Amino acid sequence: RNVVNEAFRIVRTNLEFMTGKGHGGNVYIVTSGNPGSGKTFVSVNLAVAMAIKEHQVLLIDGDLRHGSSSAYVGNPASGLSDILAGREHDVRKVIVTHPDNPSLDVIPIGKIPPNPAELLEDDKFPKLIEQLRPLYDYIFIDCPPVDIVVDTQIIEKSADRTLFVVRAGVLERSMLDELETMYKEKRFKSMSVILNATTTVGGRYGYRYGYRYGYGYGSYYGHGGK
Protein backbone atom coordinates (compact mmCIF):
# COMPACT_ATOMS: atom_id res chain seq x y z
CA ARG A 1 0.00 0.00 0.00
CA ASN A 2 2.53 2.57 -1.07
CA VAL A 3 1.59 6.00 -2.41
CA VAL A 4 1.63 4.89 -6.05
CA ASN A 5 -0.71 1.96 -5.47
CA GLU A 6 -3.07 4.07 -3.41
CA ALA A 7 -3.15 6.83 -6.02
CA PHE A 8 -4.12 4.34 -8.73
CA ARG A 9 -6.89 3.03 -6.48
CA ILE A 10 -8.24 6.58 -6.28
CA VAL A 11 -8.12 6.96 -10.05
CA ARG A 12 -9.77 3.55 -10.45
CA THR A 13 -12.62 4.52 -8.15
CA ASN A 14 -13.25 7.70 -10.11
CA LEU A 15 -13.17 5.90 -13.43
CA GLU A 16 -15.66 3.33 -12.14
CA PHE A 17 -17.92 6.18 -11.10
CA MET A 18 -17.56 7.93 -14.46
CA THR A 19 -18.17 4.80 -16.52
CA GLY A 20 -20.98 3.37 -14.43
CA LYS A 21 -22.39 -0.11 -14.80
CA GLY A 22 -22.64 -1.97 -18.07
CA HIS A 23 -20.50 -1.63 -21.18
CA GLY A 24 -21.34 1.91 -22.27
CA GLY A 25 -18.62 4.54 -22.48
CA ASN A 26 -15.86 2.11 -21.55
CA VAL A 27 -13.18 2.95 -24.14
CA TYR A 28 -10.47 5.33 -22.92
CA ILE A 29 -7.53 6.83 -24.75
CA VAL A 30 -4.51 7.79 -22.67
CA THR A 31 -2.37 10.57 -24.13
CA SER A 32 -0.22 13.56 -23.21
CA GLY A 33 1.08 16.85 -24.57
CA ASN A 34 4.71 15.78 -24.90
CA PRO A 35 6.97 12.72 -24.55
CA GLY A 36 8.09 11.69 -21.08
CA SER A 37 4.81 12.53 -19.36
CA GLY A 38 4.20 8.94 -18.25
CA LYS A 39 1.20 8.00 -20.39
CA THR A 40 2.37 4.40 -20.83
CA PHE A 41 3.10 4.10 -17.12
CA VAL A 42 -0.43 5.34 -16.39
CA SER A 43 -2.01 3.15 -19.08
CA VAL A 44 -0.39 -0.05 -17.83
CA ASN A 45 -0.98 0.60 -14.15
CA LEU A 46 -4.61 1.62 -14.63
CA ALA A 47 -5.21 -1.55 -16.63
CA VAL A 48 -3.59 -3.61 -13.88
CA ALA A 49 -5.54 -1.78 -11.15
CA MET A 50 -8.82 -2.52 -12.92
CA ALA A 51 -7.94 -6.14 -13.61
CA ILE A 52 -6.95 -6.74 -9.98
CA LYS A 53 -10.53 -5.84 -9.09
CA GLU A 54 -11.66 -8.56 -11.52
CA HIS A 55 -12.89 -6.24 -14.24
CA GLN A 56 -12.28 -7.63 -17.71
CA VAL A 57 -9.70 -5.23 -19.13
CA LEU A 58 -8.06 -4.77 -22.52
CA LEU A 59 -4.95 -2.65 -23.01
CA ILE A 60 -4.27 -1.69 -26.63
CA ASP A 61 -0.90 -0.32 -27.66
CA GLY A 62 -2.04 2.46 -29.99
CA ASP A 63 1.40 4.00 -30.41
CA LEU A 64 2.22 2.35 -33.72
CA ARG A 65 5.47 4.32 -33.96
CA HIS A 66 7.07 3.14 -30.71
CA GLY A 67 5.06 0.36 -29.10
CA SER A 68 5.77 1.29 -25.49
CA SER A 69 2.99 -0.80 -23.90
CA SER A 70 3.90 -3.83 -25.98
CA ALA A 71 7.04 -4.30 -23.89
CA TYR A 72 4.79 -5.20 -20.96
CA VAL A 73 4.02 -8.52 -22.69
CA GLY A 74 7.39 -9.07 -24.35
CA ASN A 75 6.87 -7.28 -27.70
CA PRO A 76 5.16 -10.11 -29.61
CA ALA A 77 5.76 -10.26 -33.36
CA SER A 78 2.06 -9.96 -34.24
CA GLY A 79 -0.40 -7.35 -33.10
CA LEU A 80 -2.53 -4.36 -34.01
CA SER A 81 -0.55 -3.42 -37.12
CA ASP A 82 -1.13 -6.88 -38.55
CA ILE A 83 -4.89 -6.58 -38.05
CA LEU A 84 -5.02 -3.11 -39.62
CA ALA A 85 -2.81 -4.12 -42.56
CA GLY A 86 -4.92 -7.21 -43.25
CA ARG A 87 -2.13 -9.70 -42.52
CA GLU A 88 -4.23 -11.16 -39.70
CA HIS A 89 -8.03 -11.30 -39.62
CA ASP A 90 -8.70 -12.98 -36.27
CA VAL A 91 -8.06 -10.53 -33.41
CA ARG A 92 -8.00 -13.42 -30.94
CA LYS A 93 -4.69 -14.53 -32.42
CA VAL A 94 -2.96 -11.26 -31.47
CA ILE A 95 -4.46 -10.84 -27.99
CA VAL A 96 -2.04 -11.70 -25.20
CA THR A 97 -3.47 -12.60 -21.80
CA HIS A 98 -1.17 -11.55 -18.98
CA PRO A 99 0.24 -14.69 -17.32
CA ASP A 100 -0.27 -13.34 -13.79
CA ASN A 101 -3.75 -11.89 -14.31
CA PRO A 102 -6.32 -13.66 -16.51
CA SER A 103 -8.56 -10.57 -16.38
CA LEU A 104 -6.02 -8.49 -18.34
CA ASP A 105 -5.59 -8.83 -22.10
CA VAL A 106 -3.14 -6.84 -24.20
CA ILE A 107 -3.04 -6.12 -27.93
CA PRO A 108 0.57 -5.19 -28.80
CA ILE A 109 1.48 -3.33 -31.97
CA GLY A 110 3.30 -6.23 -33.62
CA LYS A 111 5.48 -4.98 -36.45
CA ILE A 112 6.06 -1.21 -36.50
CA PRO A 113 4.45 -0.09 -39.78
CA PRO A 114 5.84 2.56 -42.14
CA ASN A 115 2.42 4.23 -42.46
CA PRO A 116 0.67 4.35 -39.03
CA ALA A 117 -1.74 7.21 -39.80
CA GLU A 118 -2.90 5.60 -43.04
CA LEU A 119 -3.56 2.30 -41.28
CA LEU A 120 -5.55 4.02 -38.52
CA GLU A 121 -7.61 6.05 -40.99
CA ASP A 122 -8.90 2.87 -42.58
CA ASP A 123 -12.27 1.62 -41.30
CA LYS A 124 -10.68 -1.48 -39.78
CA PHE A 125 -9.78 0.29 -36.53
CA PRO A 126 -13.27 1.58 -35.57
CA LYS A 127 -14.73 -1.78 -36.56
CA LEU A 128 -12.19 -3.51 -34.32
CA ILE A 129 -13.13 -1.33 -31.35
CA GLU A 130 -16.83 -2.00 -31.87
CA GLN A 131 -16.08 -5.72 -31.99
CA LEU A 132 -14.10 -5.59 -28.75
CA ARG A 133 -16.23 -3.09 -26.81
CA PRO A 134 -18.88 -5.54 -25.54
CA LEU A 135 -16.26 -8.08 -24.46
CA TYR A 136 -14.54 -5.90 -21.85
CA ASP A 137 -15.48 -3.71 -18.92
CA TYR A 138 -12.65 -1.30 -19.73
CA ILE A 139 -10.51 -0.75 -22.81
CA PHE A 140 -7.45 1.51 -22.48
CA ILE A 141 -5.63 2.67 -25.62
CA ASP A 142 -2.11 3.98 -25.06
CA CYS A 143 -1.73 6.74 -27.68
CA PRO A 144 1.11 9.02 -28.85
CA PRO A 145 1.35 12.61 -27.53
CA VAL A 146 -1.24 14.83 -29.22
CA ASP A 147 1.10 17.51 -30.59
CA ILE A 148 3.55 15.19 -32.32
CA VAL A 149 1.52 13.09 -34.76
CA VAL A 150 -2.09 12.93 -35.93
CA ASP A 151 -2.60 9.31 -34.78
CA THR A 152 -4.25 10.19 -31.47
CA GLN A 153 -6.90 12.40 -33.08
CA ILE A 154 -7.79 9.51 -35.37
CA ILE A 155 -7.96 6.95 -32.56
CA GLU A 156 -10.01 9.31 -30.36
CA LYS A 157 -12.93 9.13 -32.80
CA SER A 158 -13.49 5.52 -31.72
CA ALA A 159 -13.14 6.20 -27.98
CA ASP A 160 -15.55 7.50 -25.36
CA ARG A 161 -13.26 9.32 -22.93
CA THR A 162 -9.80 10.87 -22.77
CA LEU A 163 -7.21 10.68 -20.00
CA PHE A 164 -4.62 13.41 -20.54
CA VAL A 165 -1.43 12.82 -18.56
CA VAL A 166 0.53 15.84 -17.33
CA ARG A 167 3.86 15.22 -15.63
CA ALA A 168 4.95 17.70 -12.98
CA GLY A 169 8.13 19.51 -14.00
CA VAL A 170 7.86 18.44 -17.65
CA LEU A 171 4.86 20.30 -19.07
CA GLU A 172 5.67 23.86 -20.06
CA ARG A 173 3.45 26.52 -18.50
CA SER A 174 2.48 27.76 -21.94
CA MET A 175 0.81 24.39 -22.53
CA LEU A 176 -1.67 24.98 -19.71
CA ASP A 177 -3.64 27.52 -21.73
CA GLU A 178 -3.70 25.16 -24.69
CA LEU A 179 -4.84 22.33 -22.44
CA GLU A 180 -7.68 24.42 -21.07
CA THR A 181 -8.68 25.37 -24.63
CA MET A 182 -8.75 21.67 -25.59
CA TYR A 183 -11.07 21.03 -22.68
CA LYS A 184 -13.40 23.97 -23.27
CA GLU A 185 -13.63 23.34 -27.01
CA LYS A 186 -14.18 19.62 -26.38
CA ARG A 187 -11.51 18.54 -28.85
CA PHE A 188 -11.32 15.28 -26.95
CA LYS A 189 -14.34 13.48 -25.53
CA SER A 190 -14.90 13.78 -21.76
CA MET A 191 -11.32 14.84 -21.12
CA SER A 192 -9.86 14.30 -17.66
CA VAL A 193 -6.38 15.29 -16.52
CA ILE A 194 -4.05 13.07 -14.48
CA LEU A 195 -1.19 14.87 -12.75
CA ASN A 196 1.80 12.53 -12.70
CA ALA A 197 5.02 12.45 -10.62
CA THR A 198 4.19 15.02 -7.99
CA THR A 199 6.39 15.12 -4.92
CA THR A 200 5.22 13.78 -1.59
CA VAL A 201 4.78 16.09 1.36
CA GLY A 202 5.25 14.80 4.89
CA GLY A 203 5.05 11.19 3.81
CA ARG A 204 1.50 11.57 2.51
CA TYR A 205 0.28 11.76 -1.05
CA GLY A 206 -2.16 14.32 -2.29
CA TYR A 207 -4.51 14.44 -5.21
CA ARG A 208 -5.50 17.61 -6.98
CA TYR A 209 -8.47 18.37 -9.14
CA GLY A 210 -7.64 19.46 -12.66
CA TYR A 211 -10.09 20.48 -15.33
CA ARG A 212 -12.21 17.48 -14.40
CA TYR A 213 -9.97 15.26 -12.35
CA GLY A 214 -6.28 15.52 -11.65
CA TYR A 215 -4.32 13.13 -9.50
CA GLY A 216 -0.85 13.32 -8.04
CA TYR A 217 1.28 10.47 -6.88
CA GLY A 218 4.64 10.35 -5.32
CA SER A 219 6.96 8.46 -7.62
CA TYR A 220 7.38 6.02 -10.46
CA TYR A 221 8.15 2.44 -9.72
CA GLY A 222 11.42 1.68 -11.43
CA HIS A 223 13.27 4.46 -13.23
CA GLY A 224 12.51 6.50 -16.31
CA GLY A 225 9.13 4.89 -16.96
CA LYS A 226 7.16 6.19 -19.93
Side-chain angles (χ1 to χ4, degrees):
R1 288 186 172 273
N2 61 30
V3 292
V4 178
N5 292 339
E6 195 61 32
F8 276 109
R9 290 188 186 97
I10 293 171
V11 181
R12 179 180 66 192
T13 298
N14 280 275
L15 293 188
E16 289 173 328
F17 176 79
M18 289 165 60
T19 305
K21 296 181 179 180
H23 293 285
N26 62 335
V27 179
Y28 289 79
I29 65 167
V30 184
T31 187
S32 62
N34 50 3
S37 296
K39 63 176 184 60
T40 297
F41 172 79
V42 170
S43 299
V44 170
N45 280 279
L46 275 181
V48 171
M50 289 295 187
I52 286 173
K53 204 173 177 182
E54 298 185 349
H55 292 295
Q56 289 300 125
V57 181
L58 175 65
L59 173 63
I60 300 176
D61 193 340
D63 191 345
L64 292 173
R65 300 167 193 267
H66 292 95
S68 301
S69 297
S70 299
Y72 184 60
V73 288
N75 294 309
S78 299
L80 179 61
S81 66
D82 299 277
I83 295 291
L84 299 183
R87 293 188 295 268
E88 178 58 68
H89 301 284
D90 187 351
V91 68
R92 292 173 297 181
K93 292 184 178 179
V94 303
I95 291 176
V96 180
T97 299
H98 192 271
D100 297 326
N101 196 326
S103 295
L104 176 58
D105 288 342
V106 179
I107 296 181
I109 63 164
K111 302 176 183 68
I112 295 180
N115 56 339
E118 288 80 2
L119 287 180
L120 290 167
E121 285 178 333
D122 189 82
D123 63 356
K124 288 188 178 68
F125 184 77
K127 288 180 178 178
L128 176 65
I129 296 301
E130 289 310 306
Q131 175 187 349
L132 295 168
R133 183 188 293 273
L135 304 179
Y136 294 93
D137 299 311
Y138 293 91
I139 297 175
F140 296 101
I141 309 174
D142 181 12
C143 296
V146 296
D147 284 346
I148 296 179
V149 291
V150 72
D151 304 16
T152 301
Q153 286 86 335
I154 299 172
I155 294 172
E156 190 268 347
K157 295 176 183 177
S158 301
D160 305 305
R161 306 176 190 277
T162 301
L163 300 177
F164 197 101
V165 180
V166 174
R167 186 173 184 179
V170 173
L171 188 77
E172 295 182 5
R173 289 184 180 272
S174 60
M175 182 66 183
L176 292 176
D177 290 337
E178 184 177 348
L179 189 58
E180 186 171 12
T181 299
M182 288 181 192
Y183 175 74
K184 289 182 176 179
E185 295 181 353
K186 298 182 179 180
R187 295 183 196 172
F188 297 94
K189 301 185 192 80
S190 302
M191 189 173 82
S192 303
V193 174
I194 296 180
L195 179 60
N196 178 22
T198 60
T199 56
T200 56
V201 178
R204 294 173 62 86
Y205 67 87
Y207 65 91
R208 308 174 185 177
Y209 285 94
Y211 300 109
R212 286 194 63 183
Y213 300 99
Y215 307 86
Y217 46 85
S219 60
Y220 276 171
Y221 76 79
H223 301 282
K226 293 183 178 180

